[in-house]
C-alpha cells in the first residue's frame, strides 16, 4: 500500500512509527498481523472471561464452576457461557435458581466420601 | 423452586438466538420437553416479530412481548458487559479487615489477593480495578508451617555486584514484620501497572489497631478451612 494508507493506519503509534515511513511500514505490518491473530484470540479470551465470571458467581453460592456446568449438562440446560455470565451479573435471583437446579442434579464428588489419609499425622 | 426454574427456562426459550430453528418447534425437543406443550399462550394476540436474518418470523408469547417492544437501548444480553466509570468508583469500594494472628502465610495471602483483584465478584474484569481494599492487623503474628521460620529466605539485590542481601523469615519478622505479608501478596497480584495500583489497596499493620475506622471495614470472609495454624 502507498504511504498515505500506511500513515492512516499508523495513527496513535509511539515515536517515529507514526511519522517516518520506513518504521511506520514495519509497525503497520506487525499491527495487521496482530489484528489477524487477535480476531481469533478474541473469541478465546471472551470465553475465558465468561468462565471466570461464572466461576465467581457460582462460588458466591458455594458451588464451583466445574460442578455447576456438570449439573447443567445433566439437566440438559443448553445456556451458553456468555448468557450465563450476563445472568450472574444482572439477574442474581435467576442465577441462584440455576445454581440450585445444578446442585440438585449434581451435588459434587465430596458427597461420595473422600477417605481421609491415615499417613498424615498432623496437617503441618 | 420448580416454578422459578420453569419461568426462568421459559424465559430463555423465547430468545431467538437459543432456538435451533423457530419453525420446527415440535421436532427439536429443547430443554427435554416440546415447546408447543409448555408455552402455548391462552391469549390469541401473538404479535409477529420479524428478524432479518431468519426466514420465518419468530412467535413471541403475549406476556413476553414487552421484552421485544423497545430495541433502541444498548444490547445488554448479546454484548459482554464492560464496567463503566460509575461501576468502580474508588470511594465506594468495600473495605475488609482481617486478623493475621496464627494464620498460615500463603493461604491468607491468596485470599487477600483474590479479594483485592476482585476475582470473587461476578463483575470481575481483568483490565479494571473492581476489587476491594484489605486491612491486615497483627501482622507480626503470622504463622508458617514446618521449619520455615528459620529456613525461609527473603532475598533482595541492590543492583550492584555483591549487593545481594539474604534474610531469614525470623530476622525479617523482627525487623519489618509488614513486609512479609506485603511480599507474599505482591507475588500473587498481577505484575504490571494495574497490579502495582492494586497493591496499594493492601494495608498491613503490626498490632491490633488500624487508622481506617472511618471506612467501616467488614470482616474478610475466609473460605479456606486450613488457614489457621494447627498445633
Amino acid at each position: 500500500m502507498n504511504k498515505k494508507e500506511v500513515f492512516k493506519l499508523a495513527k496513535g503509534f509511539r515515536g517515529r512509527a507514526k511519522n517516518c515511513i520506513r518504521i511506520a511500514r514495519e509497525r503497520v505490518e506487525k499491527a495487521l498481523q496482530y489484528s489477524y491473530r487477535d480476531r481469533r484470540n478474541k473469541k478465546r479470551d471472551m470465553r475465558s472471561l465468561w468462565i471466570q465470571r461464572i466461576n465467581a458467581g457460582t462460588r458466591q453460592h458455594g458451588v464451583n464452576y466445574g460442578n455447576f456446568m456438570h449439573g447443567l449438562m445433566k439437566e440438559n440446560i443448553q445456556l451458553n457461557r456468555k448468557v450465563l455470565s450476563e445472568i450472574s451479573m444482572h439477574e442474581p435471583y435467576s442465577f441462584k435458581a440455576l445454581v440450585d437446579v445444578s446442585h440438585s442434579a449434581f451435588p459434587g464428588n465430596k458427597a461420595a466420601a473422600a477417605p481421609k489419609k491415615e499417613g498424615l499425622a498432623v496437617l503441618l | 423452586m420448580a416454578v422459578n426454574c420453569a419461568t426462568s427456562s421459559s424465559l430463555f426459550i423465547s430468545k431467538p438466538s437459543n432456538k435451533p430453528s423457530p419453525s420446527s418447534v415440535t421436532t427439536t425437543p429443547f430443554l427435554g420437553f416440546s415447546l408447543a406443550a409448555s408455552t402455548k399462550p391462552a391469549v390469541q394476540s401473538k404479535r409477529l416479530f420479524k428478524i432479518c436474518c431468519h426466514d420465518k418470523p419468530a412467535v413471541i408469547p403475549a406476556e413476553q412481548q414487552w421484552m421485544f417492544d423497545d430495541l433502541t437501548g444498548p444490547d445488554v444480553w448479546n454484548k459482554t458487559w464492560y464496567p463503566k466509570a460509575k461501576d468502580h468508583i474508588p470511594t465506594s469500594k468495600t473495605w475488609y479487615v482481617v486478623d493475621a494472628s496464627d494464620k498460615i502465610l500463603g493461604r491468607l495471602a491468596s485470599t487477600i489477593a483474590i479479594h483485592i483483584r476482585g476475582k470473587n465478584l461476578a463483575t470481575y474484569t481483568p483490565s479494571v480495578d473492581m476489587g476491594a481494599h484489605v486491612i491486615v492487623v497483627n501482622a507480626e503474628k503470622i504463622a508458617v508451617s514446618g521449619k520455615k521460620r528459620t529456613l525461609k529466605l527473603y532475598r533482595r539485590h541492590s543492583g550492584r555486584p555483591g549487593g545481594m542481601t539474604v534474610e531469614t523469615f525470623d530476622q525479617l519478622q523482627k525487623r519489618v514484620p509488614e513486609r512479609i505479608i506485603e511480599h507474599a501478596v505482591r507475588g500473587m497480584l498481577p505484575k504490571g501497572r494495574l497490579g502495582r495500583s492494586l497493591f496499594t489497596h493492601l494495608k498491613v499493620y503490626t498490632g491490633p489497631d488500624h487508622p481506617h475506622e472511618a471506612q467501616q471495614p467488614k470482616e474478610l470472609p475466609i473460605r479456606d478451612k486450613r488457614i489457621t495454624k494447627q498445633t
Side-chain angles (χ1 to χ4, degrees):
Chain A
M1 13 167 191
N2 63 12
K3 288 192 207 170
K4 206 160 112 178
E5 290 165 19
V6 168
F7 282 128
K8 187 154 194 312
L9 288 169
K11 283 196 192 294
F13 285 16
R14 194 182 231 206
R16 279 189 283 161
K18 63 183 179 302
N19 294 325
C20 307
I21 185 59
R22 289 182 178 188
I23 299 165
R25 201 181 286 276
E26 287 174 13
R27 292 291 105 217
V28 162
E29 276 175 15
K30 207 49 187 284
L32 292 172
Q33 286 169 17
Y34 284 145
S35 98
Y36 179 88
R37 176 201 70 180
D38 288 331
R39 278 193 292 275
R40 284 129 182 87
N41 280 357
K42 186 175 182 184
K43 300 154 178 57
R44 308 177 208 169
D45 296 338
M46 278 294 161
R47 184 171 161 125
S48 154
L49 176 63
W50 300 328
I51 291 175
Q52 290 178 38
R53 283 181 172 169
I54 296 169
N55 208 345
T58 58
R59 276 171 201 259
Q60 281 173 352
H61 298 296
V63 172
N64 59 2
Y65 170 82
N67 292 347
F68 175 66
M69 294 312 277
H70 189 53
L72 287 190
M73 294 302 144
K74 277 197 153 188
E75 286 288 313
N76 196 19
I77 294 176
Q78 293 168 7
L79 293 169
N80 59 7
R81 284 142 183 87
K82 173 166 86 175
V83 158
L84 281 172
S85 71
E86 295 294 316
I87 296 169
S88 79
M89 286 190 283
H90 297 131
E91 308 282 337
Y93 296 110
S94 306
F95 193 67
K96 173 92 172 80
L98 277 171
V99 170
D100 291 333
V101 165
S102 164
H103 193 68
S104 64
F106 182 70
N109 283 328
K110 278 205 173 160
K116 276 238 174 228
K117 286 186 268 195
E118 271 130 57
L120 273 175
V122 192
L123 279 174
L124 298 166
Chain B
M1 186 57 72
V3 173
N4 256 351
C5 302
T7 49
S8 59
S9 38
S10 65
L11 197 89
F12 304 136
I13 292 169
S14 57
K15 274 197 216 151
S17 53
N18 275 342
K19 280 200 245 180
S21 56
S23 52
S24 59
V25 159
T26 49
T27 51
T28 58
F30 185 62
L31 285 179
F33 51 86
S34 80
L35 287 164
S38 61
T39 58
K40 206 81 194 206
V43 184
Q44 290 303 311
S45 61
K46 282 181 272 184
R47 279 160 53 193
L48 295 183
F49 171 68
K50 189 101 182 141
I51 306 166
C52 302
C53 50
H54 289 167
D55 293 335
K56 307 267 174 70
V59 171
I60 303 161
E63 69 266 11
Q64 292 168 16
Q65 188 58 45
W66 60 272
M67 286 183 242
F68 300 93
D69 276 334
D70 174 37
L71 294 175
T72 52
D75 187 354
V76 182
W77 291 104
N78 285 324
K79 289 200 179 357
T80 304
W81 181 81
Y82 191 83
K84 299 219 186 307
K86 65 170 162 48
D87 297 315
H88 59 278
I89 313 168
T91 43
S92 58
K93 280 193 199 292
T94 350
W95 282 70
Y96 291 108
V97 68
V98 64
D99 186 349
S101 359
D102 296 330
K103 295 215 162 50
I104 300 293
L105 174 63
R107 291 176 186 270
L108 178 67
S110 172
T111 323
I112 293 173
I114 286 174
H115 283 267
I116 289 184
R117 195 160 182 219
K119 291 204 83 171
N120 55 321
L121 303 170
T123 49
Y124 166 69
T125 315
S127 56
V128 170
D129 178 11
M130 306 288 293
H133 289 72
V134 177
I135 305 166
V136 183
V137 289
N138 285 325
E140 74 281 4
K141 301 201 179 71
I142 195 87
V144 285
S145 59
K147 296 189 191 165
K148 282 180 245 187
R149 204 163 277 277
T150 46
L151 290 185
K152 181 171 169 68
L153 296 177
Y154 286 88
R155 299 164 200 268
R156 58 184 195 277
H157 200 285
S158 67
R160 291 153 142 229
M164 178 136 108
T165 328
V166 183
E167 277 182 303
T168 59
F169 182 96
D170 224 359
Q171 293 165 346
L172 188 59
Q173 203 173 39
K174 287 193 189 69
R175 208 166 63 91
V176 192
E178 296 93 346
R179 198 173 289 177
I180 288 179
I181 298 184
E182 286 174 357
H183 185 277
V185 173
R186 192 190 288 124
M188 299 185 186
L189 288 173
K191 326 286 180 283
R193 214 182 281 187
L194 181 60
R196 287 189 291 272
S197 70
L198 289 179
F199 178 69
T200 58
H201 295 167
L202 170 71
K203 315 278 180 198
V204 186
Y205 299 101
T206 43
D209 312 312
H210 62 86
H212 303 288
E213 291 301 337
Q215 276 69 33
Q216 294 156 359
K218 302 186 291 214
E219 197 57 45
L220 183 76
I222 297 179
R223 303 196 53 183
D224 193 346
K225 292 185 189 67
R226 292 164 43 165
I227 201 170
T228 328
K229 186 175 172 88
Q230 315 285 340
T231 37

